[in-house]
Amino acid sequence: MSLDLKTVRRVASLARLHLEEGEDARLQAELNGILGWIEQLQAVDVSGVEPLSGGGGTAMPMREDVVTDGGRAEAVLGNAPDRAGAFFAVPKVVE
Amino acid sequence: MHPTDFTIRGALEALSEGIVSSEALTAAHLEAIAALNPRLNAFVTVTAERAMEAARASDARRANGIAGRLEGVPLAIKDLFCTEGVRTTAASRILGEFVPPYESTVTANLLRDGAVFLGKANLDEFAMGSSNATSAFGEVENPWKRGNDDGTRLVPGGSSGGSAAAVAARLAMGATATDTGGSIRQPAAFCGIAGMKPTYGRCSRFGVVAFASSLDTPGPVARTVEDCALLLESMAGHDPRDATSAKVAVPDFAAACARGVKGLRIGVPREYRLEGMPDEIEALWSQGLDWLRAEGAEIVDISLPHTKYALPTYYIVAPAEASSNLARYDGVRFGQRVDGADLKDLYERTRAAGFGAEVKRRIMIGTYVLSAGYYDAYYVRAQRVRALIKRDFDEAFRDVDAIVTPATPSAAFAAGEKQDDPVAMYLNDVFTVTANLAGIPGLAVPAGFDRQGLPLGLQVLGRDFDEETVFAVGTAIEHAAKLTALPQVRAFA
Amino acid sequence: MSFTIEGETGPWELVVGLEVHAQVTSRAKLFSGAATEFGAEPNSQVSFVDAGFPGMLPVINRECVAQAVRTGLGLNAQVNPWSRFDRKNYFYADLPQGYQISQFAHPIVGTGVIPVELSDGSVKEIGITRLHLEQDAGKSLHDQHPSKSYIDLNRSGVALMEIVSEPDMRSPEEAGAYLTKLRQILRYLGTCDGNMEEGSLRADVNVSVRKSGEEFRTRCEVKNVNSIRFVMQAVEAEARRQIEVWESGGTVEQETRLFDTVRGETRSMRSKEDAHDYRYFPDPDLPPLVIDPAWIEELRAGLPELPDARRARYVNEFGLSAYDASVLVAEKETAAFYEEVAAGRDPKVAANWVMGDFFAMLNRMGKGIEDSPVSAKHLGALLDLISDRTLSGKMAKEVLEAMGETGKPPGTIVEERGLRQVTDTGAIEAAVDAILAANPDKIAQYREKPTLFGWFVGQVMKAMKGQGNPALVNEVLKAKLDA
């Protein structure tokens, strides 16, 4: 599976990575190299095999419905690059 | 002998006998760091004042009859573990001056047991790499030099390069690290120390900056196998804040080290014998097996048929999970921000400026293999192959108790080598990646040296949650190897 | 008669499906221990997990799972003992992790069905496709600053149940009725408070149109409609828009739209460049959700009586009409109020009073059941005073007014104002005698015109200040007049 430049740019957009001039072509070459190498997985016979999801495999442990957290806005906001009082601030979004 | 030459076991004895204080131990290590870190760059952040305060507090506790399992022992903490009040970078610019308002469970456990933290160890950015070359805070130098010592700087391996180099150079007695594809075992082998990747779920991931959630495994590096066992005992334990944390008791790992290997069946997987493998590594492998045989173990040929697919499987699954885990680094709530014309622009510029090239590559691969139309062909297929890799191990472990392989396909290479082709770098993990995909424990133990005097390690793999057998086999190899050579660059050399 | 909209080329059918997001009633969030209360100070109910800080991990809240199971049972749906969480990946300021933990491939609840009562008395079964659990996002405020949006993460991580209906609705009315019924069931179950103004219940409306007999055409989604009335309006507005597109030779593009409540029309959401590629994959931080069948049965046994069963009980046991029963069970609180009033009394009388004068009084006062100045206990006591003839029905209405104004029990008001109905036959006879004696001419007129009887009744009642027992007054008058 080979990536064209258009796909590289689309993926970069999905991943929110700005690409500089020429970076798309460089990435294209690198990614195609990696993807070419990954292609060998197509040769494996995986019929009847369930995908391993990870996540521990065992059943999900559950918490009790008790409020144990929150009430620390300062700690939550303390590292924010742009903070407006009790809010995080970002460039205005128009919906 | 200098205080920095103690093993953790030795230091604990000396501390308890009053021969040395934590303050003295810690001061000695800080002195070593001041002298050597400018060159080795093993630490991103050194917390000298905190360390001395903690050491003094530890001595005070000890004077009052309170001594935790690791009371007063100075350690380095891989800068992937969030440490409350201490800057945590994941070796990336994107985290900026982030100071976590919380402590990771693993480091909290170590603090609970009285350990002293010297600082945050360098690593490959977001744990992605096998040479520590992708760190935004510069490369780390391997304290070992080639025999001819032409001044070539060698890599310590990665991603836990800083942790391994610090321990090898005696800037710390031990260190925390993480292993996602080999990031504990490979640098441990390159630096001539021991490194243990326990079973997935053995140590909590809470507070560890996530790279690939189903693969990330916190674990220790130290100069001896027993020291690793001591560290692991403190680090491990069920954590209700991590839903993937295993609900299993923590055994006495240190005691298991001395078990011996009599009657154990040791598997030798034929698929790990790679074409073009350096003869020294082949020889070391045979040597290791001879040692075990001499100690009463039975050596058994086994097959792990899907071995060759492990690396490409890993390079689909890990980047996929990473691409999602790293989406939170967006300049809004913490870390570095680059302003943009609108929100999308802010994200794109912040992330482009904050992430290094390898991280970007992996995010791109991960995003691609999860994207519409490719998910089944790549990600789902990779998880199926992963299931087959695990099945290979499950079947093998019906017949054998442990598996021994080389840890790495070469000794430490020179800085700057293997940089041009990402895939060449990925091949460093060929022996280690399988254990992450299967979740099983793996230990790197120093076993010998190559022609140029560089460390070579062997790897011991075991069943899920049977670190004890792994420690026992590793200790047997360590004892038989009787290695005495020390790295050229080390504290108070 | 099936609903259609008349276009230039003839009648068009509507195909409507609803995806409802219902905030789960629980103390803490779905995957973190922060609180879920509405209206708290910004970012004061946020854990580091909710804020997507490095190294943070989700752990599921058992009660949220229970609420989803209860809801599934209340929707007559299949509860899946094995389900899984997936990550839905996209970037937005109110989504701190850069992904939402949701369920894509294996939801906790599968197919179900709810019967929906329509205004013509018919009942239509609307299918439920699935119900799954997912995290809510935070809130963005776009009007606080000229060039910035402000983000509050209090809501980030609150548990949502996404309830997806089959595209079984065919008119704005059906959509409204479905949402009304769904909301009612959720409120009865106590799994969601259904407060649409506060946003605890939001609907995404999927609308398409077609000519009769056709397959489905392209649908559009109208997002985040926050009232039942707006849902019905949005259905109609969007249907009309699509009809116009088709009829002018165009093609309806699949897209996401918003309902402009002021203009009464839908508009396209901007910034939908790459049609979202959410890259769903199983969340590697979470093992599968396994629900013990025994626990499901325990939850089933603990379910409250649901609206349909309650309505049937009112009809069968209390003899109420289907309509009256429907009105009384519409809200759980109303039904509870009614049953307390009806306990040990004539249920039909209780129903008439609750639905009649009592509701009217509440309406006049602008109050609801929850802040009614008249308690069920007191209303019941009022009915007792009628049945023991202390009060006439007419007097009781006045007493009810006074109860509403003062909040006092009926007995107190009766005593304070001396309103006790007179049933003393002697007193009534005396009053009747007095009226008859004073109006001989009227008696003569009555012989010709029996309808004047009512005038006499009025006069007697007036003389008795309304406190004469009407039945007795009638009886005595009749006896004396016709003697």
Side-chain angles (χ1 to χ4, degrees):
Chain A
M1 185 49 58
S2 199
L3 301 185
D4 58 13
L5 279 177
K6 181 157 159 256
T7 304
V8 172
R9 287 188 219 113
R10 181 176 62 82
V11 171
S13 175
L14 275 178
R16 295 297 185 267
L17 290 170
H18 169 78
L19 296 179
E20 293 296 342
E21 199 61 41
E23 203 177 342
D24 52 355
R26 183 176 59 73
L27 266 172
Q28 181 193 31
E30 287 171 357
L31 297 179
N32 279 330
I34 297 170
L35 290 171
W37 172 63
I38 284 171
E39 273 312 296
Q40 56 185 295
L41 285 190
Q42 301 304 321
V44 184
D45 179 8
V46 292
S47 43
V49 182
E50 280 304 300
L52 202 65
S53 284
T58 50
M60 194 188 291
M62 303 198 217
R63 296 180 8 244
E64 293 310 305
D65 185 27
V66 184
V67 174
T68 56
D69 215 329
R72 35 176 162 185
E74 276 315 301
V76 166
L77 293 160
N79 277 283
D82 187 359
R83 175 184 169 175
F87 293 95
F88 298 100
V90 296
K92 193 191 276 273
V93 179
V94 189
E95 260 173 357
Chain B
M1 195 192 83
H2 209 274
T4 50
D5 291 320
F6 275 119
T7 58
I8 293 176
R9 167 64 81 196
L12 285 170
E13 278 164 15
L15 284 161
S16 100
E17 282 162 33
I19 294 170
V20 73
S21 66
S22 175
E23 190 175 353
L25 263 184
T26 302
H29 283 88
L30 288 171
E31 199 187 321
I33 291 169
L36 288 175
N37 197 54
R39 170 179 177 176
L40 296 177
N41 199 28
F43 285 86
V44 174
T45 301
V46 180
T47 52
E49 262 173 53
R50 265 180 187 246
M52 290 309 296
E53 264 168 45
R56 284 190 281 268
S58 174
D59 287 332
R61 278 196 294 275
R62 204 180 267 281
N64 283 329
I66 300 164
R69 267 199 224 111
L70 295 171
E71 195 62 56
V73 173
L75 303 173
I77 303 299
K78 181 175 184 177
D79 204 8
L80 203 60
F81 291 81
C82 287
T83 41
E84 189 170 353
V86 175
R87 183 190 187 200
T88 300
T89 68
S92 178
R93 272 189 291 269
I94 208 164
L95 272 170
E97 297 296 324
F98 174 63
V99 177
Y102 46 85
E103 189 81 40
S104 78
T105 297
V106 163
T107 50
N109 288 351
L110 291 168
L111 290 171
R112 169 201 70 201
D113 288 348
V116 171
F117 293 170
L118 295 163
K120 309 304 289 295
N122 208 343
L123 60 149
D124 277 301
E125 189 183 2
F126 279 102
M128 300 183 195
S130 308
S131 63
N132 217 120
T134 68
S135 168
F137 295 89
E139 296 177 13
V140 173
E141 185 178 346
N142 189 327
W144 292 86
K145 321 291 304 164
R146 288 173 178 154
N148 58 14
D149 194 12
D150 57 356
T152 308
R153 292 174 45 199
L154 303 177
V155 303
S159 65
S160 311
S163 297
V167 169
R170 286 147 169 79
L171 305 187
M173 269 183 182
T176 65
T178 63
D179 192 312
T180 304
S183 292
I184 287 177
R185 293 160 287 155
Q186 185 250 21
F190 275 15
C191 290
I193 62 172
M196 173 56 136
K197 178 201 92 69
T199 313
Y200 179 84
R202 174 65 86 179
C203 292
S204 168
R205 290 183 302 113
F206 182 84
V208 179
V209 177
F211 159 20
S213 315
S214 76
L215 300 162
D216 292 344
T217 314
V221 294
R223 292 192 287 275
T224 66
V225 174
E226 188 192 26
D227 280 357
C228 280
L230 286 169
L231 286 176
L232 183 61
E233 228 172 285
S234 284
M235 292 168 69
H238 171 66
D239 182 6
R241 290 183 297 181
D242 174 356
T244 62
S245 172
K247 267 200 173 102
V248 290
V250 182
D252 186 343
F253 290 130
C257 289
R259 271 188 196 176
V261 298
K262 201 166 157 78
L264 287 183
R265 287 168 66 78
I266 307 291
V268 182
R270 66 182 71 113
E271 293 83 2
Y272 281 61
R273 187 160 282 112
L274 297 181
E275 212 180 288
M277 195 155 85
D279 56 342
E280 297 162 302
I281 293 192
E282 181 78 63
L284 183 70
W285 195 1
S286 291
Q287 173 71 272
L289 298 170
D290 286 340
W291 287 330
L292 292 170
R293 211 179 270 115
E295 291 299 314
E298 195 186 332
I299 309 302
V300 180
D301 276 332
I302 61 169
S303 173
L304 299 168
H306 296 90
T307 299
K308 70 178 179 205
Y309 298 115
L311 267 178
T313 299
Y314 173 79
Y315 277 100
I316 289 177
V317 174
E321 294 182 8
S323 70
S324 180
N325 285 330
L326 268 61
R328 63 189 61 195
Y329 302 102
D330 59 11
V332 175
R333 299 165 316 289
F334 49 80
Q336 190 189 74
R337 171 190 286 207
V338 175
D339 283 309
D342 56 26
L343 185 64
K344 183 168 193 255
D345 199 36
L346 178 128
Y347 286 153
E348 290 183 348
R349 292 190 184 279
T350 294
R351 291 161 62 81
F355 288 136
E358 182 60 36
V359 170
K360 281 185 197 161
R361 259 194 294 273
R362 299 203 193 187
I363 290 175
M364 293 283 289
I365 294 278
T367 306
Y368 179 68
V369 303
L370 289 177
S371 67
Y374 301 110
Y375 174 70
D376 283 312
Y378 286 110
Y379 187 79
V380 177
R381 172 168 276 273
Q383 292 285 46
R384 290 199 157 109
V385 176
R386 183 179 179 178
L388 289 171
I389 290 169
K390 172 124 186 96
R391 192 192 289 179
D392 284 356
F393 279 110
D394 290 341
E395 274 166 24
F397 283 123
R398 279 212 282 265
D399 186 29
V400 299
D401 304 302
I403 296 170
V404 170
T405 76
T408 55
S410 72
F413 48 88
E417 250 180 71
K418 311 198 188 194
Q419 302 280 50
D420 300 329
D421 179 10
V423 175
M425 187 62 80
Y426 298 163
L427 293 175
N428 278 297
D429 293 327
V430 65
F431 296 133
T432 51
V433 144
T434 47
N436 300 89
L437 293 168
I440 61 176
L443 171 76
V445 49
F449 299 95
D450 76 351
R451 277 185 200 88
Q452 302 189 307
L454 294 177
L456 293 173
L458 288 176
Q459 174 179 239
V460 184
L461 301 172
R463 292 185 181 95
D464 283 331
F465 301 107
D466 188 19
E467 290 87 352
E468 289 154 282
T469 300
V470 173
F471 278 127
V473 175
T475 302
I477 293 173
E478 182 185 61
H479 283 178
K482 295 187 180 53
L483 302 180
T484 54
L486 297 177
Q488 292 82 341
V489 183
R490 68 182 187 277
F492 309 106
Chain C
M1 200 81 300
S2 47
F3 178 90
T4 57
I5 290 181
E6 200 64 31
E8 276 170 36
T9 61
W12 290 84
E13 282 182 1
L14 276 56
V15 178
V16 180
L18 256 55
E19 281 169 28
V20 170
H21 290 89
Q23 244 174 44
V24 173
T25 299
S26 65
R27 288 189 207 104
K29 295 183 179 180
L30 182 56
F31 289 113
S32 88
T36 59
E37 296 280 320
F38 182 81
E41 285 301 301
N43 289 304
S44 66
Q45 286 177 183
V46 179
S47 79
F48 301 124
V49 175
D50 305 322
F53 272 61
M56 291 296 99
L57 295 171
V59 181
I60 204 166
N61 179 335
R62 180 196 308 276
E63 179 62 13
C64 295
V65 177
Q67 295 285 55
V69 173
R70 290 186 186 107
T71 306
L73 295 172
L75 299 177
N76 307 301
Q78 174 206 329
V79 175
N80 295 322
W82 188 99
S83 67
R84 202 182 62 196
F85 284 88
D86 301 299
R87 292 190 185 174
K88 179 178 181 181
N89 298 280
Y90 65 97
F91 285 86
Y92 200 59
D94 64 9
L95 194 70
Q97 292 156 277
Y99 59 86
Q100 175 199 39
I101 302 179
S102 178
Q103 295 186 298
F104 181 66
H106 299 281
I108 183 173
V109 169
T111 58
V113 66
I114 57 174
V116 172
E117 293 73 36
L118 302 174
S119 62
D120 64 358
S122 64
V123 175
K124 181 162 180 177
E125 286 200 336
I126 304 291
I128 303 290
T129 314
R130 52 182 272 158
L131 177 157
H132 71 254
L133 281 167
E134 63 181 24
Q135 296 176 305
D136 205 346
K139 269 213 187 112
S140 310
L141 295 154
H142 305 296
D143 54 359
Q144 303 289 304
H145 187 282
S147 61
K148 296 188 187 183
S149 290
Y150 286 0
I151 311 296
D152 172 12
L153 296 178
N154 279 350
R155 207 181 59 181
S156 165
V158 169
L160 289 179
M161 291 181 288
E162 181 172 322
I163 304 168
V164 182
S165 81
E166 291 286 326
D168 287 349
M169 289 156 264
R170 295 286 175 271
S171 70
E173 189 216 341
E174 285 181 15
Y178 166 79
L179 189 52
T180 303
K181 185 65 180 282
L182 178 61
R183 181 178 172 276
Q184 183 190 40
I185 293 173
L186 294 172
R187 283 167 61 83
Y188 262 72
L189 288 169
T191 58
C192 172
D193 69 17
N195 189 327
M196 296 189 80
E197 298 77 46
E198 285 180 0
S200 9
L201 195 67
R202 319 190 284 257
D204 293 344
V205 188
N206 289 298
V207 181
S208 68
V209 296
R210 64 178 178 183
K211 289 292 177 81
S212 178
E214 270 183 2
E215 292 291 305
F216 289 162
R217 293 198 188 195
T218 311
R219 65 175 156 88
C220 290
E221 184 185 27
V222 184
K223 280 197 86 65
N224 283 333
V225 187
N226 65 357
S227 85
I228 296 174
R229 188 165 59 91
F230 289 152
V231 164
M232 292 164 61
Q233 286 178 14
V235 167
E236 175 136 9
E238 177 59 14
R240 287 188 184 280
R241 181 195 75 84
Q242 291 185 15
I243 289 167
E244 224 180 280
V245 171
W246 292 119
E247 289 189 334
S248 63
T251 319
V252 169
E253 297 286 317
Q254 175 168 44
E255 56 172 353
T256 310
R257 302 177 71 82
L258 292 174
F259 182 59
D260 185 329
T261 58
V262 172
R263 288 216 180 98
E265 56 189 35
T266 66
R267 60 179 166 79
S268 190
M269 276 182 90
R270 281 172 256 185
S271 73
K272 292 289 155 204
E273 356 81 11
D274 31 355
H276 281 304
D277 183 349
Y278 292 120
R279 288 158 279 134
Y280 286 101
F281 73 104
D283 193 326
D285 287 329
L286 294 166
L289 180 61
V290 176
I291 301 176
D292 185 0
W295 189 41
I296 298 176
E297 289 318 304
E298 205 184 296
L299 291 171
R300 189 196 303 272
L303 289 182
E305 185 183 39
L306 291 180
D308 289 351
R310 182 162 292 186
R311 195 181 57 235
R313 178 163 66 84
Y314 285 11
V315 169
N316 297 328
E317 286 180 25
F318 295 166
L320 300 188
S321 71
Y323 175 77
D324 285 358
S326 283
V327 173
L328 290 169
V329 306
E331 296 286 337
K332 196 170 168 187
E333 295 73 22
T334 312
F337 186 97
Y338 162 70
E339 284 196 48
E340 194 182 334
V341 173
R345 301 185 180 97
D346 183 327
K348 282 191 183 157
V349 171
N352 288 338
W353 271 91
V354 169
M355 291 172 57
D357 291 275
F358 175 69
F359 274 179
M361 181 192 75
L362 285 183
N363 274 339
R364 270 196 306 278
M365 299 178 95
K367 289 192 186 287
I369 286 265
E370 48 314 320
D371 52 359
S372 166
V374 175
S375 68
K377 186 169 164 207
H378 288 177
L379 183 56
L382 182 67
L383 298 190
D384 292 340
L385 292 179
I386 299 171
S387 66
D388 75 7
R389 291 152 144 230
T390 306
L391 291 175
S392 66
K394 191 156 171 268
M395 282 318 299
K397 286 178 201 263
E398 289 182 33
V399 172
L400 181 61
E401 282 306 314
M403 284 162 73
E405 281 156 29
T406 66
K408 291 184 182 171
T412 308
I413 292 171
V414 165
E415 290 311 318
E416 279 177 0
R417 304 188 189 189
L419 299 174
R420 192 163 282 281
Q421 184 175 242
V422 178
T423 51
D424 170 8
T425 327
I428 293 177
E429 288 199 359
V432 169
D433 287 342
I435 298 296
L436 291 182
N439 297 282
D441 47 329
K442 284 286 196 286
I443 296 175
Q445 284 173 21
Y446 167 70
R447 302 278 177 236
E448 304 301 311
K449 217 168 146 200
T451 54
L452 269 177
F453 187 80
W455 181 89
F456 281 101
V457 173
Q459 292 299 302
V460 172
M461 290 301 273
K462 202 160 111 189
M464 296 188 78
K465 297 192 184 51
Q467 284 167 252
N469 178 299
L472 279 178
V473 164
N474 269 268
E475 212 180 288
V476 168
L477 252 181
K478 197 136 179 60
K480 289 191 187 272
L481 278 173
D482 294 348

